[in-house]
């Protein structure tokens, strides 16, 4: 009887909300993606996915983080686990997907995963922005910015946040419909399921789930929906259990639970720095990137888009804004010039940017005459407005983001030849159980030699901003467990204690055409 009464109350509440939403247009309620725009999203997704570092001929474009992520997944196929054998901050599911790709024959399969991530992210972002603006021309330009940002700020892809983005945007779309009274409470099962999946891919998405849960609780308390809120909580727990129970079994069976919590679970939330650059300079650079990417103006004009008459999207806009602010704090404290960290802001920042573009577009129409010829190419007009309002700096940012990997590839061309030569030498003079270490900015030597790292930190510049991690790396190398050590003289400076240790306990190997690397062999 209690359940029947609750269901009847739910139906009456849902009917009341839908009737109260009659001011919304049919397009806003349904937010369907037109066939043409769906085609655009498919083509954008193919284009960005094609330039993935998972493609064999783009692998050498990868930076240290991308290279180590691929190496970590590859090592899982060799029974060397993340969190226990390799210090890892991505989610377990993220590395499992990479490992599965290598099991199936190579990293090329990750391109399909990347395509699916971009496609579904584009679809749900389209629905959210179109629901809030009701304008296709504004929405498709926001989608274009999404793909341009992924292409330039995160060139090469394969970052955990890109794999998690479809689940974040799906949940954001569900909450948008929920607060507008367009979905049922049972949908919170999917909300819990997607939240668990996103967290097990990119732990930093926890910002969004915490903010949204707090807003949902406040909403239910304000409307005296305590029983309904409890039912939603049970749905969320049930959805989360479906994922955590299955993957938790593997994590427990591999005996990596404690290290998983210490690394993926808490590392990013207790140590924000990704590098050791001057924090004032990095903040200035990050503010420039925020403005040039279009993400800043959307956040600054947020309060212009709430408390409007008959606007039932205030709550979801608040969730988006607060998630943006919390993610931004993490980036501002990162002490890094890396642009890929801004990918964490895209799901939230571009929704706010879409609202900003909608306002700018409306104002431009008011200032100009409504002659027919001025409406022929509305999509181009919106994008022109975006560039004009940002002083064409997005073009500069796009060029900068694209130039980085190209310059990296050109400058590393000779280095990659030396890496291949060193890997061949190591592979020919060792067996598969031999452990080596590459003091380098790339995991190419590990890959080409098919040998594992002797240290928990395979690359000395990834996850070593924390002093205790740098000390742990030094201690591991001082144990001299690596049969060979390859030192890139142009990479991060080798500490004097390690240099002295290698001189005392290793001998230098003479290789032809080697100028940038010093190769040590244990005595």
């Amino acid at each position: 009887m209690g359940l029947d009464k609750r269901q009847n109350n739910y139906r009456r509440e849902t009917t009341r909300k839908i009737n109260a939403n009659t001011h919304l247009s049919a397009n806003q309620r349904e937010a369907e993606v037109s066939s043409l725009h769906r085609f655009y999203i498919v083509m954008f997704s193919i284009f960005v996915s094609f330039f993935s570092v998972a493609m064999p001929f783009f692998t050498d474009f990868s930076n240290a983080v991308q290279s180590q992520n691929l190496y970590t997944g590859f090592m899982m196929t060799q029974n060397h686990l993340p969190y226990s054998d390799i210090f890892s901050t991505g989610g377990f599911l993220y590395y499992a997907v990479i490992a599965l790709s290598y099991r199936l024959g190579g990293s090329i399969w990750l391109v399909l995963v990347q395509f699916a991530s971009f496609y579904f992210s584009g679809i749900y972002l389209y629905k959210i922005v179109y629901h809030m603006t009701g304008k296709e021309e504004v929405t498709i330009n926001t989608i274009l910015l999404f793909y341009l940002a992924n292409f330039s700020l995160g060139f090469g892809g394969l970052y955990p946040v890109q794999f998690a983005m479809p689940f974040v945007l799906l949940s954001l779309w569900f909450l948008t419909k929920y607060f507008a009274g367009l979905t049922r409470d049972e949908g919170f099962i999917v909300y819990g399921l997607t939240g668990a999946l996103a967290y097990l891919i990119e732990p930093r998405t926890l910002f969004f789930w915490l903010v949204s849960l707090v807003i949902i609780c406040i909403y239910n308390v304000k409307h005296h929906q305590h029983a309904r809120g409890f039912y939603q909580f049970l749905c969320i727990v049930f959805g989360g259990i479906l994922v955590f129970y299955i993957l938790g079994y593997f994590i427990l069976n591999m005996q990596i639970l404690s290290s998983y919590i210490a690394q993926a679970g808490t590392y990013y939330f207790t140590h924000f720095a990704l590098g050791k650059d001057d924090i004032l300079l990095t903040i200035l650079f990050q503010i420039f990137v925020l403005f040039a990417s279009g993400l800043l103006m959307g956040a600054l004009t947020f309060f212009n888009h709430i408390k409007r008459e008959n606007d039932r999207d205030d709550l979801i806009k608040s969730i988006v804004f607060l998630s943006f602010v919390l993610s931004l704090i993490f980036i501002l404290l990162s002490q890094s010039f890396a642009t890929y960290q801004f990918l964490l802001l895209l799901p939230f920042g571009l929704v706010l940017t879409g609202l900003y573009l909608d306002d700018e577009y409306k104002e431009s129409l008011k200032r100009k005459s409504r002659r027919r010829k001025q409406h022929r190419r509305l999509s181009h007009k919106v994008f022109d407005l975006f560039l004009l309002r940002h002083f064409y700096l997005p073009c500069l940012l796009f060029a900068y983001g694209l130039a980085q990997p190209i310059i990296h590839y050109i400058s590393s061309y000779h280095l990659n030849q030396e890496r291949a030569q060193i890997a061949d030498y190591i592979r020919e003079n060792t067996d598969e159980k031999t452990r080596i270490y590459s003091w380098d900015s790339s995991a190419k030597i590990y890959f080409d030699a098919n040998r594992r790292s002797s240290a928990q930190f395979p690359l000395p510049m990834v996850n070593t901003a924390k002093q205790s991690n740098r000390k742990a790396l030094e201690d591991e190398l001082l144990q001299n467990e690596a049969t060979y050590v390859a030192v890139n003289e142009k990479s991060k400076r080798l500490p004097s204690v390690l240099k002295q240790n290698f001189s005392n306990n290793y001998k230098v190997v003479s290789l032809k055409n080697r100028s940038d690397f010093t190769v040590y062999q244990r005595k």
Side-chain angles (χ1 to χ4, degrees), residues 175 179 191 207-217 319 323:
L175 292 177
F179 289 123
Y191 172 80
F207 289 131
F208 165 67
W209 308 109
L210 292 177
V211 169
S212 58
L213 285 174
V214 170
I215 296 296
I216 291 169
C217 290
I319 290 175
S323 300

Side-chain angles (χ1 to χ4, degrees), residues 267 271 276 464-474:
Y267 180 76
H271 187 80
K276 295 190 297 181
T464 56
K466 191 175 182 180
Q467 175 61 34
S468 60
N469 287 358
R470 293 197 298 274
K471 184 65 168 59
L473 173 60
E474 288 186 10

Side-chain angles (χ1 to χ4, degrees), residues 283-497:
I283 288 177
L284 289 175
F285 173 77
Q286 289 155 357
I287 292 174
F288 166 77
V289 173
L290 275 175
F291 178 76
S293 63
L295 299 176
L296 182 61
M297 293 306 297
L300 293 179
T301 58
F302 162 73
F303 292 100
N304 296 337
H305 301 109
I306 60 174
K307 294 184 179 180
R308 293 183 174 183
E309 187 178 357
N310 296 325
D311 188 351
R312 299 178 63 85
D313 294 326
D314 281 358
L315 288 175
I316 192 62
K317 291 175 184 176
S318 299
I319 290 175
V320 169
F321 177 73
L322 292 174
S323 300
F324 178 90
V325 171
L326 288 176
S327 301
L328 178 59
I329 291 173
F330 170 83
I331 293 173
L332 293 177
L333 297 176
S334 66
Q335 293 183 245
S336 171
F337 291 101
T339 57
Y340 63 82
Q341 59 187 323
F342 288 91
L343 297 175
L344 192 63
L345 295 177
L346 288 188
F348 319 113
L350 286 179
V351 172
L352 300 175
T353 299
L355 296 173
Y356 166 74
L357 287 177
D358 184 39
D359 284 350
E360 291 297 314
Y361 178 60
K362 290 176 182 176
E363 287 297 321
S364 70
L365 292 181
K366 290 179 182 179
R367 289 193 297 266
K368 297 181 179 180
S369 65
R370 303 291 183 97
R371 289 181 301 177
R372 183 177 178 181
K373 65 178 183 179
Q374 289 182 320
H375 286 268
R376 288 177 182 173
R377 308 187 75 176
L378 296 177
S379 294
H380 288 188
K381 185 175 183 178
V382 174
F383 196 74
D384 289 344
L385 276 173
F386 171 77
L387 293 177
L388 184 62
R389 294 295 183 271
H390 292 85
F391 309 104
Y392 292 91
L393 289 176
C395 298
L396 178 61
L397 180 62
F398 180 81
Y400 171 79
L402 193 58
Q404 272 191 313
I406 295 175
I407 294 174
H408 169 73
Y409 174 77
I410 295 174
S411 61
S412 301
Y413 181 77
H414 182 68
L415 283 173
N416 286 326
Q417 290 181 321
E418 288 195 35
R419 288 165 180 152
Q421 181 189 11
I422 294 170
D424 289 341
Y425 178 84
I426 292 175
R427 186 174 60 253
E428 293 171 359
N429 291 276
T430 60
D431 57 37
E432 293 182 355
K433 294 183 180 180
T434 301
R435 294 197 290 177
I436 65 173
Y437 192 78
S438 177
W439 187 276
D440 196 4
S441 58
S442 170
K444 183 177 176 63
I445 292 178
Y446 296 121
F447 273 111
D448 292 354
N450 195 17
R451 300 294 182 264
R452 63 172 294 195
S453 169
S454 64
Q456 198 178 17
F457 301 89
L459 300 181
M461 65 285 300
V462 180
N463 298 323
T464 56
K466 191 175 182 180
Q467 175 61 34
S468 60
N469 287 358
R470 293 197 298 274
K471 184 65 168 59
L473 173 60
E474 288 186 10
D475 291 342
E476 286 182 301
L477 293 178
L478 288 172
Q479 293 176 17
N480 300 322
E481 294 183 355
T483 303
Y484 285 92
V485 177
V487 178
N488 181 353
E489 303 295 346
K490 292 185 177 181
S491 184
K492 182 177 180 179
R493 187 179 66 85
L494 187 69
S496 57
V497 63

Side-chain angles (χ1 to χ4, degrees), residues 51-68:
F51 291 93
S52 170
V53 294
M55 298 285 278
F57 39 86
F58 286 120
T59 301
D60 289 341
F61 283 83
S62 60
N63 58 33
V65 173
Q66 293 167 320
S67 185
Q68 180 163 308

Side-chain angles (χ1 to χ4, degrees), residues 68 71-89 95 254-257 259-260 263 435-437 446 452-459 463 472-473 476 481:
Q68 180 163 308
Y71 166 77
T72 304
F74 175 70
M75 282 292 102
M76 286 187 72
T77 65
Q78 310 292 322
N79 296 321
H80 302 299
L81 303 176
Y83 317 113
S84 62
D85 298 318
I86 304 172
F87 190 96
S88 309
T89 54
Y95 297 116
M254 294 175 180
Q255 300 180 352
I256 57 174
L257 179 61
S259 55
Y260 181 86
Q263 296 173 29
R435 294 197 290 177
I436 65 173
Y437 192 78
Y446 296 121
R452 63 172 294 195
S453 169
S454 64
Q456 198 178 17
F457 301 89
L459 300 181
N463 298 323
L473 173 60
E476 286 182 301
E481 294 183 355

